[in-house]
Amino acid sequence: MHANGDTEINFNRIRSKAVLKQVTQMINEVTNITETFPLAQGQTAEGLVDTVDAALVNFLESGHFVVSKCPIANKDPRSIEALREALRFVQDKGQIMVQRSRDFVRDSTSTEKRKVATLSGRSLLVAVAEFLILADSIDVKTIVDKVDELRDTVHRMLEADSKIEVDEQYKILVSLIEELDITVRRRAVDLVKPNQRDDLLAARSALRQIAPLLFTSQRTFVRHPEHEEAQKNRAYTAKEMNSALNALEAVLNGQQPEIIFSEYGRIGDLIDKIETFQNKIELERPGDYKGHLTRRELEGLVEEIVSGSASIADSGSTRDTRKQKIVDECNNLRQALQDLLSEYEKSVGQRQFTDDIPLGIAQVHKRTKDLRRHLRRAIVDHISDAFLDTRTPLILLIESAKEGHEENTKYRAQMFQEHANEIIEVARFSCQLSADKEGISVIQLTASQLERLAPQVSQSALLLCAEPSSKQAQENMESYKNMWFEKVGLLTTALDNITTLDDFLAVSEAHIVEDCERGIKGILENASTPEDNAANCGVVDCAAGSIRGRALRVCDVVDAEMDFLRNSEYTETVKQAVKILRTQRVDEFAERASNLAYRQEATGLTWDADQKDNEMNEFINACTLVHDAVKDIRHALLMNRSMNDVDSDVEYEVEGTNAGNSDANRTIPEQENQQNLMRRLPEEEKQKIQAQIDIFRVTQNRFEREVAKWDETGNDIITLANNMCKIMMSMTEFTRGCGPLKTTMDVIRAAQEISLNGSKLNVLAKQISDASVDSRTKEDLLSYLPKITLYCQQLNICSKVKADITQIGNEMVVSALDSAMSLIQTARNLLDTVVQTVKAAYIASTKIGRKLNIEWRMAPPKKQPLVRPQKNSAIIRRASERRPLQPAKVLAEFTRNDIESGDFELNNQKRRVNGYS
């Protein structure tokens, strides 16, 4: 409740949910007195005043009790006195409010008394809010005092000049962190703003993680103060610790910290431009086309998309074939836009669009989808190359440092830094095509942490190289190693979570082929010296190791995906395919590749052309075992997908791809399964059907944007519209040879159900029309009802899709094109009419003269699912690494259990975010 001057509550100052709840409750109770007229049944005005009076007494009693038990009563008497004064002010305002409210209810027709009661109620609310805000600020001050105490302990620890003193201060530091941790977690749960909650938890996590590193760095510095590396490690950890403490204090005080976790979640420019472009190309009426203004805007967006795509295509790790596909799709997108703009220009001055415009829109969407797929897979190429082996560079560095080889350690430190730079660059690069703010936040923040950590890892290795026998240097190196692997693991998991399983499998298959070609080159390369032969052996061995690693990663990823699904025939089929790859094909490949490498090392110099051909064929056959097994896994996964869910380079790549619901998997005799026949249509007819389905999807997207705004609860119109859309989608899938409908009878039953729903929709719309007092809106709504009936009848007729087999010469020809095309076109017309009916029904419902049982409520924002049943993270790492923790929660939702259970970073590894848009 707001007013001017001193009767206004500044809700921006309320940062605690508990405070907000109390203030809201008081607002509701005071509002009941001043605005609840006429009273509800059984309610009296005096009773309302008594309720507020009792609530005020209860509030004052609770306030006095809390003030008396305040933990800073002895430390800060001024704050306690301020609380008591604020409580007395609440009491005074409350008494005035109750008295003036009683005067008002005795004479509720008096405008002046109503005004006085309202102003006194607002004054009471302001007083209560000020007291609660003051109490909350004192609560925050107690936490900040603990932060200051912790900061002093860190300072004393950094000033310590003996191992014993460092150990003592660290024990105190740990106890203070644990005590502060409990308080911070509770505070995080109570914060109103999600971004402050996320920043507080991120600072808390950084504090917990850097403390052990500070301890080993300080101990090492005390033992080896003469080494510059020890000084740098100590300075780094001290800075990170102070940054974490400063961030904690800033968030607690409602200020903005220097390092803001929530600010890292900025959607990439490229994906934002693509989304904007796709939304702007769909014009609803010819009058929406503004000539050169619309053309200039859309062409400008396309050029920005092309420019962003070029940066990905020109990146070093982008394959030449992928680069060419990106270039081609950019050109195709430009041409599709020009064709669409030409159609828009032809429609200027007409009353409605021709059928060529939806086809043009569908073509632009298709070209955009193709471009996005190639861009995504170019990103996955980068991730695959950079994160194939994240452990070896550091392990080699540590081994060299332990041996005390200074030059070799410096060389490997340089190699490690290059590796670190690569994974950091790729991590940031990958955010360009992700629309997931939370996933981007984790990636960007972790990349920044790794960027600061990498030089210190090298410094700790150089220190170990200088003092290989020092226990402190060894412990310091171990701490930095663990921190590095932990951060890289988190970064890898976050990257995995914005990469879809389909993209991962597609890229893995392509990379296995590349590795096979690399191995063939090593076999065929001429070797005139033992050194050349050894180099060729290394190429073959490296290629074989990469293939084996990629295959095992496929097994781990798919196994993790199946763990999220209930056991079924589908999951058992996939797991069996994975088992064959893991236990049979990989082992057989490894044995054959190893034997080949031994033969090449022993006799490679004497191989003639025939021997090289034989060894090449042997290597190809071994690689084919793995490649075919990976492909079998992908095909098994696709059996639970609708074709609409598969973003494949080949539209009809897999025979028998079905939707993943129970109806789709029921057994149908082969001779009755017309769906199989639809898949055997000639390719030319498939393309024509696909063109109509693309147009249908444009209407479907428009339907979803309009209808998704409304909550289905209590609104039968929205429920019926959604149900009709789902059935029509199944019918269009049937024309492509997929989906839950198997036979012509299934399609007929679906059409009958749509017709029944259409009749129910007509009845509800007619009720709204009859109740509407505006003749124009009534006429608009009534004009759509006959169209729904007409299209439902047409859909019943078109549902009798019959796929006939005829033999022409030695070829079997399947024909069903006309019926399929008519079915899709009628479904599109019906869906478009339903959209218009929903719009008209809402407009008419705002002008009704009597109450209807249809409640138009905006649908709440859709939450991300806790588990994605279809899309899993593409975890592309060295096969020898442990399996990643399986994500189980949405990254953005820091639930109470997560906060109270402890580690922020560990919970992040268990969370799951959306894939690429």
Side-chain angles (χ1 to χ4, degrees):
M1 187 174 291
H2 297 274
N4 294 325
D6 60 351
T7 59
E8 181 179 356
I9 298 175
N10 186 357
F11 282 91
N12 291 329
R13 294 175 58 201
I14 300 177
R15 292 184 284 125
S16 166
K17 291 180 182 177
V19 173
L20 184 62
K21 180 180 179 182
Q22 288 280 357
V23 173
T24 304
Q25 182 178 351
M26 291 295 293
I27 288 176
N28 292 335
E29 290 173 350
V30 173
T31 303
N32 283 338
I33 294 179
T34 59
E35 296 184 4
T36 308
F37 289 94
L39 297 171
Q41 185 176 3
Q43 219 176 21
T44 64
E46 292 80 3
L48 288 174
V49 177
D50 291 339
T51 300
V52 174
D53 193 12
L56 180 62
V57 171
N58 188 34
F59 179 84
L60 292 172
E61 290 177 354
S62 301
H64 285 298
F65 176 79
V66 170
V67 171
S68 64
K69 297 296 182 181
C70 186
I72 65 168
N74 298 326
K75 298 179 182 178
D76 192 355
R78 289 186 178 181
S79 297
I80 296 300
E81 184 57 34
L83 276 175
R84 289 172 177 158
E85 179 63 28
L87 202 56
R88 285 194 292 270
F89 189 66
V90 171
Q91 185 175 6
D92 294 340
K93 293 295 183 182
Q95 291 174 352
I96 295 173
M97 159 67 185
V98 171
Q99 182 59 44
R100 291 178 176 175
S101 297
R102 294 191 190 280
D103 293 341
F104 167 61
V105 298
R106 292 191 190 102
D107 185 11
S108 59
T109 60
S110 172
T111 305
E112 184 63 27
K113 289 182 179 180
R114 175 190 287 271
K115 180 179 179 181
V116 170
T118 300
L119 290 175
S120 63
R122 290 174 175 172
S123 298
L124 172 61
L125 292 176
V126 171
V128 171
E130 289 297 328
F131 171 77
L132 293 174
I133 291 172
L134 178 61
D136 187 60
S137 66
I138 293 175
D139 189 30
V140 169
K141 189 175 184 300
T142 61
I143 306 176
V144 172
D145 289 341
K146 293 179 181 179
V147 174
D148 291 336
E149 185 179 358
L150 204 154
R151 188 182 282 111
D152 293 338
T153 304
V154 170
H155 180 72
R156 289 194 300 270
M157 183 175 169
L158 292 172
E159 294 295 321
D161 55 4
S162 68
K163 175 181 175 297
I164 295 176
E165 190 176 354
V166 172
D167 292 348
E168 290 176 353
Q169 292 299 324
Y170 182 64
K171 290 180 181 178
I172 298 174
L173 182 70
V174 170
S175 63
L176 289 174
I177 289 176
E178 292 299 326
E179 182 181 354
L180 178 65
D181 188 70
I182 297 172
T183 310
V184 168
R185 280 184 284 159
R186 290 174 179 169
R187 180 66 184 177
V189 172
D190 198 40
L191 285 175
V192 174
K193 296 182 179 179
N195 63 318
Q196 289 185 344
R197 177 189 61 197
D198 296 351
D199 292 337
L200 187 63
L201 290 172
R204 162 191 169 269
S205 173
L207 181 67
R208 288 170 59 89
Q209 288 188 343
I210 204 66
L213 215 57
L214 175 66
F215 173 59
T216 57
S217 296
Q218 179 61 19
R219 281 184 47 152
T220 306
F221 173 76
V222 169
R223 177 67 180 82
H224 304 288
E226 70 281 3
H227 288 287
E228 183 182 0
E229 295 83 4
Q231 298 172 15
K232 289 181 178 180
N233 279 171
R234 175 178 177 269
Y236 161 76
T237 53
K239 183 178 180 181
E240 290 291 311
M241 177 64 76
N242 286 324
S243 295
L245 291 171
N246 292 338
L248 269 177
E249 184 174 354
V251 178
L252 288 169
N253 288 325
Q255 301 168 356
Q256 200 172 54
E258 292 183 5
I259 300 176
I260 310 170
F261 171 80
S262 55
E263 285 298 312
Y264 280 110
R266 293 186 292 273
I267 295 177
D269 290 338
L270 180 56
I271 191 66
D272 185 53
K273 290 170 183 173
I274 291 175
E275 294 286 351
T276 302
F277 171 73
Q278 289 192 285
N279 289 332
K280 285 184 176 294
I281 63 170
E282 295 187 29
L283 305 181
E284 293 190 5
R285 296 177 299 275
D288 294 336
Y289 183 72
K290 305 300 182 183
H292 71 280
L293 293 177
T294 302
R295 174 180 286 275
R296 184 171 59 185
E297 181 183 19
L298 294 177
E299 288 178 343
L301 282 171
V302 164
E303 292 309 312
E304 290 177 354
I305 292 171
V306 170
S307 178
S309 302
S311 67
I312 295 178
D314 293 336
S315 184
S317 295
T318 302
R319 272 61 174 174
D320 291 338
T321 54
R322 185 68 64 187
K323 178 179 179 179
Q324 187 58 49
K325 288 179 180 178
I326 293 174
V327 171
D328 292 342
E329 291 304 334
C330 286
N331 293 329
N332 291 337
L333 180 59
R334 283 173 170 147
Q335 185 59 50
L337 176 62
Q338 292 303 318
D339 294 342
L340 176 61
L341 291 174
S342 298
E343 294 299 329
Y344 276 138
E345 289 174 352
K346 293 177 183 177
S347 68
V348 173
Q350 298 181 8
R351 298 185 60 183
Q352 61 183 12
F353 288 136
T354 63
D355 287 341
D356 290 334
I357 287 181
L359 182 59
I361 294 174
Q363 278 298 104
V364 174
H365 281 313
K366 183 178 185 302
R367 295 307 181 187
T368 307
K369 178 181 178 182
D370 292 340
L371 176 60
R372 289 170 74 159
R373 179 177 64 252
H374 293 307
L375 292 174
R376 287 199 319 266
R377 293 186 179 174
I379 295 289
V380 178
D381 282 336
H382 287 72
I383 297 174
S384 178
D385 292 338
F387 286 82
L388 182 60
D389 184 2
T390 58
R391 302 180 69 88
T392 300
L394 180 52
I395 291 173
L396 292 176
L397 173 60
I398 295 174
E399 289 177 354
S400 180
K402 287 180 178 179
E403 294 172 357
H405 298 312
E406 183 177 357
E407 290 300 323
N408 196 26
T409 301
K410 289 181 178 179
Y411 171 74
R412 288 185 173 175
Q414 181 181 355
M415 299 298 294
F416 168 76
Q417 186 63 51
E418 291 175 358
H419 162 72
N421 293 339
E422 183 182 10
I423 64 175
I424 293 167
E425 181 183 356
V426 168
R428 289 170 173 163
F429 188 69
S430 66
C431 295
Q432 294 186 48
L433 270 181
S434 176
D436 191 307
K437 293 183 179 180
E438 291 77 24
I440 294 173
S441 293
V442 175
I443 292 171
Q444 296 282 18
L445 177 62
T446 309
S448 297
Q449 293 172 339
L450 287 173
E451 191 173 30
R452 299 192 299 272
L453 180 62
Q456 302 306 318
V457 174
S458 298
Q459 294 295 332
S460 63
L462 293 172
L463 176 61
L464 178 61
C465 180
E467 300 289 345
S469 60
S470 170
K471 182 179 179 182
Q472 286 76 22
Q474 294 171 5
E475 291 175 350
N476 188 56
M477 184 74 256
E478 187 69 16
S479 296
Y480 276 95
K481 182 192 77 171
N482 293 337
M483 175 66 81
W484 177 262
F485 284 152
E486 182 179 348
K487 292 293 182 184
V488 171
L490 174 61
L491 180 63
T492 306
T493 303
L495 286 169
D496 295 341
N497 287 328
I498 63 171
T499 307
T500 65
L501 181 59
D502 293 338
D503 290 332
F504 165 64
L505 290 174
V507 168
S508 295
E509 283 188 42
H511 286 184
I512 287 174
V513 173
E514 288 180 3
D515 292 331
C516 180
E517 292 173 351
R518 184 155 52 98
I520 292 172
K521 185 177 179 181
I523 294 172
L524 298 179
E525 192 74 24
N526 291 325
S528 57
T529 65
E531 291 77 10
D532 292 340
N533 188 57
N536 293 340
C537 289
V539 171
V540 175
D541 189 53
C542 181
S546 296
I547 292 172
R548 181 177 182 275
R550 295 186 196 280
L552 291 176
R553 286 311 311 146
V554 169
C555 295
D556 288 342
V557 170
V558 178
D559 273 341
E561 174 76 4
M562 292 301 103
D563 289 340
F564 288 102
L565 302 179
R566 289 182 300 177
N567 288 335
S568 63
E569 183 179 353
Y570 163 71
T571 58
E572 291 302 319
T573 301
V574 176
K575 288 180 179 179
Q576 183 62 30
V578 172
K579 183 179 180 181
I580 291 174
L581 174 59
R582 188 193 297 275
T583 62
Q584 299 179 25
R585 301 293 181 257
V586 170
D587 291 343
E588 184 177 352
F589 167 80
E591 182 179 358
R592 295 171 68 170
S594 178
N595 293 335
L596 188 153
Y598 288 142
R599 291 195 300 271
Q600 185 178 19
E601 184 178 6
T603 61
L605 286 172
T606 62
W607 281 355
D608 56 25
D610 291 338
Q611 287 176 307
K612 285 184 178 182
D613 285 342
N614 292 336
E615 295 296 344
M616 179 188 69
N617 291 332
E618 169 65 11
F619 188 73
I620 292 174
N621 292 335
C623 293
T624 302
L625 290 174
V626 175
H627 185 269
D628 288 348
V630 172
K631 197 170 184 179
D632 290 342
I633 292 175
R634 180 165 61 86
H635 287 180
L637 285 167
L638 290 175
M639 293 303 294
N640 200 36
R641 305 284 183 88
S642 164
M643 280 190 175
N644 291 332
D645 297 330
V646 179
D647 192 5
S648 171
D649 291 325
V650 181
E651 197 67 38
Y652 288 88
E653 183 175 1
V654 183
E655 286 291 330
T657 303
N658 295 318
N661 58 43
S662 58
D663 292 337
N665 296 321
R666 73 185 195 275
T667 302
I668 296 291
E670 185 66 27
Q671 64 272 17
E672 298 179 15
N673 195 340
Q674 278 91 14
Q675 189 187 88
N676 286 338
L677 300 180
M678 299 301 295
R679 285 198 293 271
R680 294 164 61 182
L681 286 170
E683 193 62 35
E684 182 180 353
E685 294 190 8
K686 286 183 180 180
Q687 292 176 0
K688 292 179 180 179
I689 290 176
Q690 183 60 43
Q692 289 298 320
I693 288 177
D694 289 339
I695 299 175
F696 174 82
R697 285 177 181 168
V698 174
T699 305
Q700 179 190 339
N701 292 336
R702 190 180 301 123
F703 170 89
E704 290 173 349
R705 283 198 302 270
E706 179 64 30
V707 176
K709 295 187 296 188
W710 308 110
D711 187 358
E712 287 191 23
T713 307
N715 194 322
D716 291 338
I717 288 180
I718 301 301
T719 302
L720 288 170
N722 281 326
N723 192 35
M724 292 173 74
C725 179
K726 292 176 183 177
I727 300 172
M728 281 185 272
M729 288 170 59
S730 298
M731 295 176 74
T732 57
E733 282 185 342
F734 174 81
T735 64
R736 299 177 63 196
C738 60
L741 307 180
K742 299 291 188 181
T743 67
T744 302
M745 278 308 302
D746 291 340
V747 181
I748 293 173
R749 293 190 191 100
Q752 291 171 348
E753 186 175 352
I754 288 178
S755 181
L756 179 61
N757 287 334
S759 300
K760 293 179 180 178
L761 183 62
N762 274 355
V763 171
L764 292 173
K766 186 70 165 55
Q767 290 178 5
I768 294 177
S769 173
D770 293 341
S772 177
V773 296
D774 186 84
S775 59
R776 186 170 182 178
T777 56
K778 179 183 295 189
E779 290 175 2
D780 288 342
L781 180 56
L782 289 175
S783 67
Y784 295 117
L785 304 189
K787 292 182 180 180
I788 292 179
T789 302
L790 173 64
Y791 291 135
C792 285
Q793 292 174 351
Q794 289 183 0
L795 204 60
N796 269 319
I797 297 172
C798 296
S799 65
K800 299 175 177 59
V801 177
K802 185 171 179 56
D804 295 322
I805 300 180
T806 57
Q807 184 169 354
I808 301 177
N810 295 325
E811 295 184 1
M812 303 297 292
V813 178
V814 183
S815 61
L817 181 62
D818 292 340
S819 298
M821 298 275 280
S822 299
L823 186 145
I824 300 170
Q825 291 169 357
T826 305
R828 176 169 63 87
N829 293 334
L830 176 58
L831 196 60
D832 192 50
T833 305
V834 170
V835 172
Q836 300 299 329
T837 303
V838 170
K839 285 183 179 180
Y842 169 68
I843 295 173
S845 68
T846 61
K847 301 176 181 181
I848 58 178
R850 57 186 173 85
K851 180 70 175 176
L852 292 176
N853 294 324
I854 296 177
E855 188 174 356
W856 294 88
R857 295 181 299 176
M858 297 299 289
K862 293 183 179 180
K863 293 184 178 180
Q864 298 173 351
L866 295 183
V867 175
R868 292 180 302 169
Q870 299 280 342
K871 297 181 180 179
N872 188 29
S873 56
I875 305 163
I876 307 172
R877 288 187 285 175
R878 185 182 176 88
S880 60
E881 290 188 53
R882 61 178 175 81
R883 284 184 62 174
L885 293 171
Q886 295 170 1
K889 295 182 177 68
V890 179
L891 177 66
E893 296 183 359
F894 296 90
T895 62
R896 182 182 298 272
N897 290 335
D898 291 331
I899 295 170
E900 293 180 352
S901 64
D903 198 283
F904 169 73
E905 299 290 356
L906 178 60
N907 286 328
N908 271 348
Q909 293 184 45
K910 293 180 180 178
R911 294 185 175 96
R912 197 177 188 93
V913 294
N914 279 345
Y916 281 112
S917 177

